[in-house]
Amino acid sequence: MEGGDDLLQVKWDTSHMSPSQYQIADYIQKHTQQVLLSTEKDIADAVQVSIASVSRFWRVVGYKNFKDFKQEMRSQLEVSPAGKMERIMGRGTEEELQHHILDISVTHLYKTMQQFSSTSFRQAVRLLTASKKTRVYCPGPSAGLGALLQYRLARFGLDIRIMDKSGSEMLEELLHLEKDSVVILFGFVRLLPEARVILDYSKQVGYKTIIITDQLIADFSTQANCTMFASRGEISEFHSMVAPTFLVENLIIAVGMENKQESLNRLERLSELRKRYSKELPR
């Protein structure tokens, strides 16, 4: 994981983590400063694991105990403006609903930028630009994001389609993927079985995979060629799509910029077509 230079840096060794330890690590990564004011019981209650599991966790990730972890994080916090920013963003819970939702949206955007990796982002742009065939797996609430990607990137000449099928029928889609193909997957909360099959089959065929997820620590993080994080809120909260949309729109613009003149020429031709057939096909 990669954040800005002025943000709290938590580096985990995930190679020997159990499923419950992945959950603990993900919670701490998302709420590091809150955790500094918490007890092990608070963390256990939030993640719904035992206190003993939390106590064992620190040794797994390289600390003597919870106190040792707090000391290292607080030494970073002394030079980090993140704590101040989060306290400001946390205000306004008694304001009218629209302002409250706006505050939440800004917080999600801020957390997304905290964990933004320019390396992963540039890699995703390169993969999409070089792709001969791009497919998007976007189940449930991510369907709108998939449609946005397809609509915008097709204008730049990309062969991009949404993988509509699920279950064993999805194998019909995988049959046509090759080494120069790319699959964009949305994995919010968890990866569905179809997504895991897509990732597994990529090892055999060699097509590239990009995951956009709201999980900072997950067992699938290292299975894709590129993983990008977008904050959406906790499991018990309303899941906002503001940050994922922000990430997707930036991805679209960056892909367009890779072949700027060609992209602009295509958009210009689209404008000409609209003018030419404005009477037959009014907008």
Side-chain angles (χ1 to χ4, degrees), residues 155-183:
R155 288 181 168 181
F156 300 146
L158 271 69
D159 176 4
I160 178 169
R161 293 207 307 266
I162 292 173
M163 300 177 71
D164 295 321
K165 298 174 182 178
S166 60
S168 61
E169 289 188 353
M170 187 197 66
L171 302 179
E172 307 258 352
E173 298 264 12
L174 296 185
L175 182 65
H176 303 290
L177 297 180
E178 300 173 346
K179 287 184 177 180
D180 54 6
S181 302
V182 172
V183 180

Side-chain angles (χ1 to χ4, degrees), residues 51-150:
I51 298 176
S53 295
V54 177
S55 297
R56 288 192 294 269
F57 172 82
W58 310 115
R59 292 189 293 276
V60 171
V61 295
Y63 297 94
K64 296 177 182 178
N65 48 41
F66 190 20
K67 182 179 179 180
D68 187 28
F69 171 80
K70 282 185 175 182
Q71 287 177 341
E72 180 172 326
M73 291 302 104
R74 281 173 175 156
S75 67
Q76 291 189 33
L77 189 60
E78 289 176 359
V79 294
S80 170
K84 296 178 183 178
M85 181 63 75
E86 286 202 354
R87 282 192 292 272
I88 292 171
M89 291 180 175
R91 297 174 183 173
T93 56
E94 297 179 358
E95 295 177 5
E96 57 189 20
L97 179 61
Q98 291 82 2
H99 288 176
H100 179 58
I101 293 175
L102 178 60
D103 285 341
I104 292 173
S105 298
V106 171
T107 299
H108 286 316
L109 290 170
Y110 180 74
K111 287 183 176 180
T112 299
M113 289 309 299
Q114 272 188 305
Q115 302 298 332
F116 180 77
S117 168
S118 57
T119 301
S120 295
F121 184 82
R122 292 306 307 166
Q123 183 181 13
V125 172
R126 286 194 298 270
L127 290 176
L128 290 171
T129 303
S131 174
K132 299 297 183 182
K133 185 184 298 181
T134 301
R135 297 296 178 261
V136 186
Y137 177 69
C138 48
S142 63
L145 298 173
L148 179 61
L149 275 168
Q150 182 185 36

Side-chain angles (χ1 to χ4, degrees), residues 6 55 91 97 131 158 161 186 188 223 232 262 277:
D6 60 347
S55 297
R91 297 174 183 173
L97 179 61
S131 174
L158 271 69
R161 293 207 307 266
F186 290 92
F188 295 139
Q223 295 180 34
R232 295 198 315 141
E262 182 181 344
Y277 296 108

Side-chain angles (χ1 to χ4, degrees), residues 24-36:
I24 295 170
D26 187 67
Y27 176 80
I28 294 171
Q29 184 75 44
K30 291 177 178 176
H31 305 89
T32 306
Q33 295 170 66
Q34 178 181 333
V35 166
L36 298 183

Side-chain angles (χ1 to χ4, degrees), residues 153-272:
L153 291 182
R155 288 181 168 181
F156 300 146
L158 271 69
D159 176 4
I160 178 169
R161 293 207 307 266
I162 292 173
M163 300 177 71
D164 295 321
K165 298 174 182 178
S166 60
S168 61
E169 289 188 353
M170 187 197 66
L171 302 179
E172 307 258 352
E173 298 264 12
L174 296 185
L175 182 65
H176 303 290
L177 297 180
E178 300 173 346
K179 287 184 177 180
D180 54 6
S181 302
V182 172
V183 180
I184 304 172
L185 305 94
F186 290 92
F188 295 139
V189 180
R190 63 188 177 90
L191 279 191
L192 296 180
E194 289 86 351
R196 293 187 179 276
V197 168
I198 291 170
L199 290 173
D200 182 72
Y201 190 54
S202 69
K203 300 172 186 175
Q204 178 178 334
V205 176
Y207 58 80
K208 307 302 187 291
T209 53
I210 301 169
I211 294 180
I212 297 177
T213 180
D214 57 357
Q215 303 297 300
L216 283 169
I217 304 290
D219 59 349
F220 55 79
S221 296
T222 58
Q223 295 180 34
N225 296 96
C226 177
T227 301
M228 292 184 291
F229 170 77
S231 174
R232 295 198 315 141
E234 295 305 307
I235 293 177
S236 60
E237 299 174 350
F238 173 78
H239 284 160
S240 170
M241 301 303 279
V242 169
T245 302
F246 167 79
L247 193 60
V248 164
E249 289 185 337
N250 274 273
L251 198 58
I252 292 167
I253 293 170
V255 170
M257 290 293 290
E258 284 294 295
N259 297 299
K260 183 177 179 180
Q261 194 56 52
E262 182 181 344
S263 298
L264 291 175
N265 289 341
R266 287 180 181 275
L267 294 177
E268 186 60 35
R269 291 200 298 272
L270 176 59
S271 296
E272 291 172 358

